[in-house]
Amino acid sequence: MTDDADDADDANDAHDSTGGDGVTDPDDAHPPLSLSAFHDACQRAGRPLLTASELARHLERPHSEVTDDLEALAERGDLEHLAVSRDPVVWFPAELEDLTERERVVVFPKRREIIVDRPDQFTRAQLSQFAHLADGNGESGYRYVVRPEDVWQAPHDSFDGLQRTMRQALGQRSDALESWVESQWDRARQFRLVTHPDDYTVLEAQSAEIMGNVARQKLDEEHVHAPISDTEDWVREGSEAAIKRILYEAGYPVRDDRNLESGDALEVGLEVSLREYQRTWVDRFLEAGSGVFVGPPGSGKTIAAIATMEEVGGETLVLVPSRDLARQWAETVLDVTSLEPEQVGQYHGGRKEIRPITIATYQIAGMDRHRSLFDDREWGLVVFDECQHVPSDVYRRSTHLQSRHRLGLSASPLREDDRAADIFTLIGPPIGTDWEALFEAGFVAEPELEIRYVPWGDDEHQNAYGSAEGRERYQLAATNPGKVAEVRYLLASHPGARALVFVDYLEQGRDLAAALDAPFLSGETPHLERQRLLDSFRHDEIDTLVLSRVGDEGIDLPSADLAIVASGLGGSRRQGTQRAGRTMRPAGGALMYVLATRGTREEEFARRQLQHLGRQGLTVREESVERDLETETESDTSSEAADE
């Protein structure tokens, strides 16, 4: 539309606002335009300057009135204006930086994306109820994506409540986005599993149409026995998880309202205080009855899980990936609750105790010869720690333990096999807080991540890499001898730091441990020795540990403030999160260095593995090492010989 057309429309608006004789109706008079209202209009437009025509359309006011108000603000020194070729005048704040420091929200309804610049804590808390933080580095604003699963698990009893939250977060109405969100809200209420009075499970649909067009098209005799009515199907015992997964993938999450076991009552007194976000996690879990606490390492998911035990008030089974983590769980439960040692048991290769609070490994809980022991006891709550494992064939056998309440814990529920949806259908919806908010509040330290591109340590390995193929090529880059000198350099640059050095290969780990005069902890390390080393690290008796993949998860190392990834860059994104998480803690400067051999595929692996951490709000830097590592290695060898 041209400016002349705009002016004509504004003239008509001006005519309509009068009584027909050119006299303005007092009831239709507008207050003078304020600088704050101009800022709000700029936020809606997504740019720091506006024409009078744009502002008039936004305010739904006559062009002439808006122009008068703009000139008045300019006379006061609040606005500046500039003539440009395509529009008579553009207006902008006299102090433009005042606008750049304000929170701005821009909505892209078709992409279901929300870009927020300088969001305050309230806005981020509101957004987290219905949107996923996809990119939180803050440089180009925070990018939120509204996904179906975010709407499905929104903590509201009605769509009206969710709609109010959206409008508070966005500061505006977005009819297109709200319409899509409402459709997803309705989808999440089309199916539910219930218990029939005769004690079998029934799949219920909201209508005969949705049952016939969706459920009965997707499910077969493997999942249901027969129809009971136009909106009800008799479910085969044991197929509940498969039904939830199939309908979830079809875009229809199933509410699980079965009368599942609630377990014998157990009084658990929590003797520590929860942080505000942990309390929010627990409250949202109690509303849903199931869910997954998602937060960075160090954010207190274990404490929040124990608080959930207290609220549920029933006997609890905790499933963990390793006996080391089982021991740590047992120690934590006894340390922060009123429970006595005889009420807390461990069930794994080293101990076999079934008690009101039992911590067992996934592997043993899934074995046929042990499973009946867990089946015979009614659990009020089952906790799946490191629940990203659950979709794997070995671990998912433990998910048949379907109690009334199912809680998952994970720093990164990412999977490389596209089975992440299984986590939420087998356990429950994600419940979390955006990482950047925890960093800013000081609950968790934001580690500094740096990828360091290291040259080859010698010509022999570089030449071998050039002629190798496939897995051998990857291993040669991973075990580049130049990394030994670089690890030494980084440790010397951070004297006194508690350091973890991660490797993917046992031989490389042994070589690094020998070069650093540090212990090497791997899957071959006996459990008693592993426990001794971990305790020594926690108690400052040793300050450097070399770790194989055994250290990626299931080991609590809260006091580490330096992590060096010497190899293992072909691993999953989850592995990158776990290793970065070893340096996340409430205080201190946390550092993580990732070493990649320059000019090899390790460069790509390093960027890919840490990319999603950048989207969580962590800063990722890149540095090319220019020192002559081969000379340094020879010098180190000569010094050692001289010492001998």
Side-chain angles (χ1 to χ4, degrees):
M1 182 181 291
T2 65
D3 290 320
D4 291 341
D6 288 340
D7 291 341
D9 287 342
D10 290 336
N12 290 333
D13 290 339
H15 176 76
D16 290 341
S17 66
T18 67
D21 55 3
V23 179
T24 302
D25 187 338
D27 292 338
D28 292 334
H30 297 100
L33 177 70
S34 67
L35 182 60
S36 177
F38 184 85
H39 281 312
D40 291 340
C42 287
Q43 288 184 34
R44 300 271 181 101
R47 27 191 212 108
L49 45 82
L50 294 171
T51 67
S53 300
E54 291 170 331
L55 185 59
R57 280 197 296 273
H58 170 73
L59 299 175
E60 298 181 352
R61 290 178 51 189
H63 184 282
S64 56
E65 281 187 16
V66 169
T67 301
D68 290 342
D69 285 350
L70 288 171
E71 290 176 349
L73 288 172
E75 287 180 7
R76 287 186 359 214
D78 291 334
L79 294 181
E80 299 282 353
H81 56 276
L82 180 69
V84 294
S85 59
R86 299 184 61 183
D87 220 320
V89 176
V90 291
W91 301 80
F92 55 91
E95 297 294 335
L96 190 58
E97 60 269 21
D98 180 52
L99 177 64
T100 63
E101 293 180 0
R102 291 166 56 92
E103 176 183 285
R104 293 195 308 130
V105 180
V106 182
V107 181
F108 299 92
K110 290 184 178 178
R111 303 203 306 261
R112 299 192 293 278
E113 288 188 359
I114 303 162
I115 307 298
V116 190
D117 188 30
R118 301 180 183 277
D120 60 27
Q121 290 291 341
F122 174 79
T123 298
R124 283 160 62 171
Q126 298 295 85
L127 284 167
S128 70
Q129 296 186 41
F130 65 90
H132 167 69
L133 180 63
D135 191 346
N137 61 29
E139 295 178 2
S140 303
Y142 294 80
R143 183 172 68 90
Y144 289 84
V145 179
V146 186
R147 307 169 301 178
E149 56 264 39
D150 300 317
V151 179
W152 298 343
Q153 60 88 38
H156 291 278
D157 295 327
S158 67
F159 175 72
D160 288 343
L162 174 57
Q163 187 180 55
R164 283 194 297 273
T165 295
M166 290 180 64
R167 292 178 180 177
Q168 287 174 341
L170 305 180
Q172 59 187 282
R173 290 181 55 171
S174 176
D175 292 338
L177 182 60
E178 288 180 11
S179 176
W180 181 85
V181 168
E182 185 173 15
S183 72
Q184 293 301 321
W185 177 270
D186 290 339
R187 273 177 172 260
R189 283 147 186 81
Q190 295 301 313
F191 293 102
R192 69 184 190 126
L193 291 171
V194 297
T195 302
H196 191 273
D198 292 335
D199 207 30
Y200 58 83
T201 301
V202 175
L203 175 66
E204 283 186 355
Q206 283 282 14
S207 67
E209 290 76 17
I210 200 74
M211 176 63 86
N213 294 333
V214 179
R216 289 174 182 162
Q217 297 295 320
K218 298 288 184 181
L219 306 176
D220 54 31
E221 62 272 10
E222 180 184 347
H223 308 107
V224 294
H225 287 288
I228 300 174
S229 70
D230 288 345
T231 59
E232 298 172 305
D233 276 0
W234 179 8
V235 172
R236 286 189 181 276
E237 185 177 357
S239 66
E240 294 87 354
I243 289 173
K244 288 195 287 185
R245 184 176 65 255
I246 290 168
L247 294 180
Y248 185 99
E249 290 171 351
Y252 292 90
V254 179
R255 292 164 56 197
D256 196 339
D257 293 334
R258 289 176 289 164
N259 296 329
L260 295 169
E261 302 295 350
S262 57
D264 292 337
L266 177 67
E267 185 174 341
V268 180
L270 185 67
E271 298 178 344
V272 296
S273 299
L274 293 183
R275 299 165 183 165
E276 183 179 351
Y277 67 85
Q278 290 171 320
R279 172 50 57 190
T280 299
W281 288 354
V282 175
D283 290 344
R284 289 177 63 177
F285 175 86
L286 295 174
E287 290 175 6
S290 62
V292 178
F293 291 165
V294 180
S299 57
K301 296 184 292 297
T302 301
I303 297 298
I306 296 172
T308 306
M309 291 181 196
E310 179 186 41
E311 295 289 346
V312 170
E315 297 193 349
T316 300
L317 173 65
V318 182
L319 297 173
V320 298
S322 71
R323 69 168 71 176
D324 290 312
L325 195 53
R327 178 179 58 83
Q328 292 164 22
W329 256 94
E331 291 173 353
T332 302
V333 169
L334 291 173
D335 188 46
V336 303
T337 72
S338 59
L339 295 171
E340 299 296 330
E342 59 269 18
Q343 295 176 289
V344 180
Q346 299 178 52
Y347 201 100
H348 47 67
R351 298 169 67 172
K352 302 288 190 299
E353 304 160 341
I354 299 288
R355 294 183 180 167
I357 301 292
T358 299
I359 302 104
T361 57
Y362 283 102
Q363 296 92 331
I364 207 162
M367 293 179 180
D368 292 338
R369 65 179 182 273
H370 299 288
R371 193 159 54 199
S372 62
L373 293 172
F374 300 105
D375 284 337
D376 291 343
R377 198 168 193 122
E378 295 183 355
W379 305 104
L381 172 67
V382 178
V383 179
F384 301 86
D385 199 3
E386 304 287 0
C387 68
Q388 63 274 3
H389 292 294
V390 163
S392 67
D393 294 334
V394 172
Y395 285 74
R396 74 183 297 134
R397 285 200 290 270
S398 62
T399 60
H400 75 287
L401 296 161
Q402 293 282 292
S403 70
R404 179 183 295 274
H405 298 291
R406 299 178 303 282
L407 171 63
L409 309 178
S410 182
S412 181
L414 296 165
R415 290 186 61 87
E416 309 303 313
D417 57 7
D418 296 323
R419 296 173 71 181
D422 286 3
I423 297 171
F424 305 125
T425 57
L426 293 168
I427 301 175
I431 299 169
T433 304
D434 82 65
W435 290 26
E436 184 73 12
L438 300 184
F439 297 152
E440 288 186 359
F443 291 125
V444 180
E446 175 186 352
E448 299 177 30
L449 307 183
E450 182 171 294
I451 305 172
R452 297 180 68 82
Y453 302 114
V454 180
W456 287 99
D458 57 50
D459 293 336
E460 180 182 350
H461 276 75
Q462 185 173 12
N463 293 335
Y465 178 86
S467 58
E469 295 181 357
R471 190 68 185 174
E472 182 186 4
R473 190 177 177 89
Y474 165 73
Q475 183 172 348
L476 284 165
T479 58
N480 169 17
K483 293 182 178 181
V484 176
E486 182 61 17
V487 171
R488 280 178 163 167
Y489 168 79
L490 292 173
L491 292 176
S493 300
H494 302 91
R498 280 183 167 77
L500 301 176
V501 182
F502 293 94
V503 298
D504 236 19
Y505 297 95
L506 294 178
E507 184 178 353
Q508 182 189 27
R510 296 186 191 102
D511 291 344
L512 258 174
L516 302 174
D517 192 22
F520 177 43
L521 195 156
S522 73
E524 296 180 350
T525 307
H527 282 285
L528 288 178
E529 175 65 7
R530 184 185 302 182
Q531 182 176 335
R532 186 190 69 79
L533 290 174
L534 293 174
D535 288 341
S536 296
F537 188 84
R538 292 191 188 96
H539 298 138
D540 300 340
E541 295 166 6
I542 55 177
D543 58 13
T544 302
L545 264 181
V546 181
L547 294 167
S548 70
R549 287 194 178 192
V550 73
D552 285 334
E553 54 195 29
I555 295 177
D556 182 20
L557 296 170
S559 60
D561 48 25
L562 175 63
I564 303 173
V565 179
S567 64
L569 303 182
S572 65
R573 294 170 292 167
R574 186 182 74 244
Q575 187 183 63
T577 301
Q578 295 289 349
R579 290 177 171 178
R582 297 307 167 204
T583 65
M584 294 182 186
R585 58 196 181 114
L591 301 165
M592 176 176 174
Y593 294 102
V594 175
L595 308 186
T597 300
R598 189 190 304 156
T600 70
R601 288 197 64 193
E602 276 202 315
E603 292 190 5
E604 175 192 341
F605 290 145
R607 292 190 184 100
R608 184 184 67 186
Q609 196 182 61
L610 299 183
Q611 185 180 45
H612 79 282
L613 289 175
R615 289 195 293 267
Q616 295 279 19
L618 280 68
T619 302
V620 181
R621 300 190 303 268
E622 298 181 54
E623 182 73 28
S624 183
V625 177
E626 302 298 338
R627 297 185 308 281
D628 187 342
L629 298 182
E630 184 173 2
T631 301
E632 288 188 22
T633 303
E634 292 173 354
S635 175
D636 290 337
T637 304
S638 300
S639 298
E640 291 170 4
D643 291 339
E644 293 176 1

